[in-house]
Amino acid sequence: MKQQLSVYGILLDHKPIRCDNISAINLSKNPVQHSRTKHIEIRLHFLRDHVLKGDRVLEFVDTKNQLADIFTKPLPKETFFSIRRELGLLDISDLDK
């Protein structure tokens, strides 16, 4: 897919992955295996290889701005409505207006 997009002049060199865990970002940048990280799965090694190659870039996103939280965590009402608005999702009651 990357090659096909390059034919059309769309270059995807550094695809960002947004993460709210600074420790995970630091682990992906440091190729040294620590004694505390021996339990980490193959997914980390896969991501670490892509970060070192430069294919992927891990970016820090504050927890308040992490849109994926709506799918993974129970949220307070205000936060839920804020993220829902950011994603462009409508409540069924908004359709009646």
Side-chain angles (χ1 to χ4, degrees):
M1 183 176 202
K2 183 177 178 181
Q3 184 179 3
Q4 184 67 32
L5 289 172
S6 68
V7 171
Y8 296 110
I10 301 171
L11 300 176
L12 299 173
D13 291 335
H14 305 287
K15 292 169 244 15
I17 297 176
R18 294 177 175 89
C19 179
D20 63 353
N21 187 335
I22 295 174
S23 297
I25 293 172
N26 290 336
L27 281 173
S28 71
K29 294 178 182 177
N30 187 1
V32 176
Q33 184 72 17
H34 298 283
S35 62
R36 293 183 181 182
T37 61
K38 63 183 175 183
H39 67 282
I40 294 180
E41 298 178 16
I42 295 172
R43 287 181 281 176
L44 171 75
H45 300 292
F46 176 78
L47 282 173
R48 181 185 289 166
D49 290 342
H50 280 284
V51 167
L52 292 175
K53 287 182 199 174
D55 294 341
R56 301 282 190 265
V57 177
L58 291 178
E59 297 176 352
F60 177 74
V61 176
D62 189 24
T63 303
K64 293 184 286 185
N65 299 322
Q66 184 66 272
L67 298 181
D69 283 352
I70 196 170
F71 303 112
T72 61
K73 297 178 182 176
L75 299 171
K77 192 181 220 182
E78 298 80 22
T79 307
F80 177 80
F81 289 143
S82 172
I83 292 175
R84 187 180 67 181
R85 194 175 324 109
E86 288 284 328
L87 291 172
L89 300 174
L90 297 175
D91 187 10
I92 195 158
S93 64
D94 294 338
L95 298 175
D96 295 336
K97 296 178 183 178

